[in-house]
């Protein structure tokens, strides 16, 4: 309470750099994964690229434009989709928002109709166009959101967690759509996501940032091989007790409960371990997964930290 | 002790939004200061009334500012929209504390902070323009004025709570809330003191509960009421409190059945 | 230019459809708006119940000013105030991003894309009050007075718009000051009083309150008194100056916009 009263008159502020020392260039038509843990600075970077935020230092050029000049010619070429935010009008059908965007982006009637038909077919949302947005499911809303953002045929897309909160089937459909859009229109796409599957299926190249700093820029298979030394095996045995001691020979037991065991196995030995366990024990179910992206980034970051400290 | 901790926690929350709280205070302050300014020019062309001079007008509107800040409540939207319509009421229902009193405790820190701004301003103004402020110095009258002020807040709070509870039956009653607010402003002496109004309007005002939420506390502090009149005011306040709380109980009992039956 | 005409037409259609869908909201807002409109009239009647004049304005002129306030403020609220109401939320939640990413003038789209239809009813009510009041009090105004009223009301609204934009732009630095719009509604109320009253204050508050006051008092004076005086030039000059200054301020403020976390 005393602290609260004190803060009435004297409040302390501290400065925080959301993004620093981030430099990269992207060629036309590339589909890049832009990944990092929460608070890494991904969205801030996308917002600088789309001209929403002014960088305090450095230079940003997108297709020859300085984004924060916010020239209409630039804004007509780009699109920013934020998975956690909805810009369709809540009480009206998506079609109304599409028509409004048509006027805003000055899309001709012919082009609008062509794009609308193509996009709604790709996304399979023809039958919900005249349903109020408030009555749509999250997946349908997300698809309509994407259509609204693509009606003006942007060639540069910033997708900020577009699959967040969607079920597995919807995520796959959205990924297929993004891949198709990239292929068909040679659109440059920067995608941020916490789902490793989004990045693995869509992006050959990834840029990794953490705490506002660029950690890695290169091929995805390199980062996975180099920084993700382990795979996760989730085993469900037919009956208890589970052979914990035997399993320790193959990897580290992260945790176990009842007949379920989570085992961390070295990447190179994961197939061998899985095959051995299946052969020698009564396993009802086995799942091999990549570690969560945060683990990969953590490994990457730990490695970078070790390198920095080692150098100093 | 637990109750004090709860109030203390809400105070901390209020301090966190101190600038917002100050803006909320400035709103009635500005309205009332402009009214003082209006009367400074209008009084010379107004039918003379010994009760209404520039001194009484200045005191009246300053006290009205404090009354607006300290004795008014705006919980009807909170109760109707957040708690009932959006289902936040659920988290109150699982607490071992009546909903009425939880909302009351939540409201107190805001009122105290807002009232403090008013009192500080009044003290500051008195230092420079003391002759314009005419408040009674009689401790007994001040004591009963305080009682009247406390009951005034209870009346406003209960009226607004009852309004909010209408959301159990009506999906959107904002229009009605605004109409009640307008009526409250007029009949609580929020524009001019009620004794300046025509006799018939005055009688209606003194019957309705609104005059007991601001007008009577103000003129009590101004020393315009005798002791027996103060008792009359308190008696009327208790009558209205009884009616309003009775209504609150009925609305709550019927409404909560509906709420829990339908679910969030 | 044509682009914005077409866009505004689309926005009109959009808003009407939104209104039709959300009828309960419209009815409630209309009750509320009409209630407050009637209150403005009751307010001045109560204030002048024993008063013949104030600051050189007769009771009839004061009541006419209050009625004109209902009309002109109603027009202002119809076009702009719901947009300003949302400013705090869209800045605090980062929803301004969606407006800034569009290839249209950000100030225009942020301040004009939602219309407040209940205020049309308030304007109609105000016109009705004006007709009744002028008839019952035998008040007659010249054609020049009416033309002057319409022209100067435009400048008055432009001035109010600029002032509101200025204060709401401050929300980019103080996004939690969500009630600054409520404060603006209150300051708008200065326009119910004669400007001569505000001029009584000889300090910086004059600079703060007077622009709000002259926005409606000046057109009203032209109507009720045929007073084509210096206030007219002052209103026109001030509204133009504030319009330009607030636009510059808005552009500057956008450089400091920090959006919101996702």
């Amino acid at each position: 309470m005393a602290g609260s009263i004190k803060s009435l008159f004297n409040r302390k502020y501290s400065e925080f750099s959301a993004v620093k020392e981030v430099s990269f260039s992207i060629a036309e038509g590339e589909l890049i994964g832009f990944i990092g843990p929460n608070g890494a600075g991904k969205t801030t970077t996308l917002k600088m690229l789309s001209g929403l935020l002014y960088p305090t230092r450095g230079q940003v050029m997108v297709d020859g434009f300085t984004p924060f000049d916010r020239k209409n010619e630039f804004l007509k070429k780009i699109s920013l989709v934020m998975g956690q935010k909805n810009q369709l009008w809540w009480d009206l059908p998506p079609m109304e928002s599409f028509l409004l965007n048509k006027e805003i982006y000055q899309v001709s009637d012919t082009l609008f109709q062509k794009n609308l038909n193509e996009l709604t077919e790709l996304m399979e949302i023809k039958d919900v166009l005249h349903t109020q947005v408030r009555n749509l499911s999250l997946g349908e809303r997300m698809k309509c959101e994407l259509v609204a953002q693509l009606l003006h045929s942007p060639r540069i897309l910033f997708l900020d967690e577009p699959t967040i909160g969607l079920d597995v089937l919807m995520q796959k459909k959205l990924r297929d759509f993004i891949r198709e859009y990239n292929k068909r229109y040679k659109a440059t796409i920067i995608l941020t996501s916490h789902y490793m599957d989004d990045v693995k299926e869509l992006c050959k190249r990834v840029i990794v940032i953490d705490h506002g700093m660029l950690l890695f820029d290169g091929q995805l298979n390199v980062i996975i091989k180099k920084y993700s030394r382990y795979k996760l095996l989730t085993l469900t045995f037919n009956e208890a007790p589970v052979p914990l001691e035997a399993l320790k020979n193959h990897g580290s037991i992260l945790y176990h409960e009842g007949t379920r065991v989570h085992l961390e196995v070295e990447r190179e030995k994961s197939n061998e371990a899985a095959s051995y366990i299946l052969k020698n024990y009564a396993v009802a179910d086995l799942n091999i997964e990549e570690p969560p992206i945060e683990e990969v980034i953590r490994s990457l970051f730990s490695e970078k930290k070790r390198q920095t400290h080692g150098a100093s | 002790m637990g109750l004090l901790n709860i109030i203390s926690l809400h105070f901390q929350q209020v301090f966190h939004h101190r600038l917002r709280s100050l803006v909320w205070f400035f709103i009635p302050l500005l309205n009332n200061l402009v009214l003082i300014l209006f009367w400074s020019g209008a009084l010379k062309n107004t039918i003379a009334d010994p009760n209404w001079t520039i001194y009484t007008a200045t005191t009246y509107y300053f006290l009205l500012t404090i009354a607006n800040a300290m004795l008014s409540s705006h919980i009807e939207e909170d109760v109707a929209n957040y708690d009932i319509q959006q289902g936040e009421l659920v988290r109150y229902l699982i607490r071992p504390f009546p909903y009425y009193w939880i909302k009351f405790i939540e409201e107190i820190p805001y009122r105290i902070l807002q009232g403090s701004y008013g009192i500080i301003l009044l003290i500051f103004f008195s230092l420079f323009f003391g002759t314009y402020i005419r408040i009674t110095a009689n401790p007994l009258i001040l004591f009963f004025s305080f009682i009247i002020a406390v009951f005034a807040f209870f009346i406003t709070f209960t009226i607004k709570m009852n309004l909010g509870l209408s959301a159990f039956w009506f999906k959107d009653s904002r229009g009605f809330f605004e109409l009640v607010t307008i009526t409250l402003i007029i009949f609580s002496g929020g524009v001019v003191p009620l004794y300046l109004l025509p006799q018939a309007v005055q009688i209606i005002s003194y019957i309705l509960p609104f005059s007991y939420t601001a007008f009577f506390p103000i003129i009590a502090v101004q020393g315009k009421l005798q002791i027996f009149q103060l008792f009359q005011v308190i008696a009327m306040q208790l009558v209205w409190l009884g009616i309003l709380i009775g209504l609150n109980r009925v609305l709550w009992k019927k409404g909560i059945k509906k709420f829990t039956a339908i679910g969030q | 230019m044509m682009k914005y005409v077409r866009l505004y037409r689309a926005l009109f259609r959009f808003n009407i459809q939104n209104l039709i869908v959300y009828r309960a909201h419209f009815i409630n807002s209309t009750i509320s708006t009409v209630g407050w409109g009637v209150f403005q009239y009751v307010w001045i009647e109560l204030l002048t119940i024993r008063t013949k004049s104030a600051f050189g304005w007769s009771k009839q002129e004061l009541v006419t000013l209050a009625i004109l306030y209902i009309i002109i403020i109603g027009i202002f609220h119809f076009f702009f105030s719901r947009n300003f109401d949302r400013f705090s939320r869209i800045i605090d939640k980062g929803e301004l991003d969606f407006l800034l990413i569009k290839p249209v003038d950000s100030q225009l789209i942020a301040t004009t894309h939602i219309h407040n239809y209940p205020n049309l009813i308030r304007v109609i009510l105000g016109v009705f009050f004006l007709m009744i009041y002028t008839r019952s009090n035998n008040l007659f105004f010249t054609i020049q007075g009416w033309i002057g009223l319409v022209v100067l009301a435009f400048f008055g609204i432009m001035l109010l718009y600029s002032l509101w934009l200025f204060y709401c732009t401050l929300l980019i630095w103080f996004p939690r000051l969500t009630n600054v719009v409520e404060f603006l509604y209150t300051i708008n109320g200065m326009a119910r009083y004669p400007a001569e009253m505000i001029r009584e204050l000889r300090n910086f508050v004059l600079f703060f309150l007077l622009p709000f006051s002259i926005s409606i008092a000046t057109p009203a004076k032209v109507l009720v008194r045929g007073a084509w005086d210096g206030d007219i030039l002052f209103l026109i000059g001030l509204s133009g100056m504030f319009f330009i200054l607030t636009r510059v301020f808005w552009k500057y403020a956008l450089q400091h916009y920090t959006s919101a976390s996702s």
Side-chain angles (χ1 to χ4, degrees), chain A residues 1 4-5 7-8 11 13, chain B residues 8 11-12 15-18:
Chain A
M1 181 71 166
S4 292
I5 295 172
S7 78
L8 201 59
R11 208 167 251 203
Y13 296 90
Chain B
S8 159
F11 258 112
Q12 288 179 53
F15 287 146
H16 188 61
H17 296 287
R18 61 186 197 251

Side-chain angles (χ1 to χ4, degrees), chain A residues 86-89, chain C residues 80-96 98-99 109-115 164 168 171 175 178 181 185:
Chain A
N86 179 43
Q87 59 172 305
L88 300 172
W89 275 53
Chain C
F80 304 118
S81 59
R82 274 199 68 199
N83 299 285
F84 289 118
D85 282 346
R86 284 169 19 116
F87 249 58
S88 165
R89 200 192 79 223
I90 66 173
I91 290 171
D92 195 33
K93 303 261 181 269
E95 289 170 17
L96 185 60
F98 296 129
L99 299 179
I109 195 86
T111 59
T112 63
H113 89 280
I114 301 178
H115 303 141
W164 276 59
C168 288
L171 290 168
T178 52
V181 173
Y185 277 108

Side-chain angles (χ1 to χ4, degrees), chain A residues 47 54 84 87 89 96 132, chain C residues 14 17 21 102 259-260 262:
Chain A
K47 286 182 179 177
Y54 280 61
Q84 304 203 53
Q87 59 172 305
W89 275 53
E96 296 303 325
Q132 278 181 309
Chain C
F14 202 67
Q17 278 172 332
V21 158
K102 302 278 194 289
S259 190
S262 55

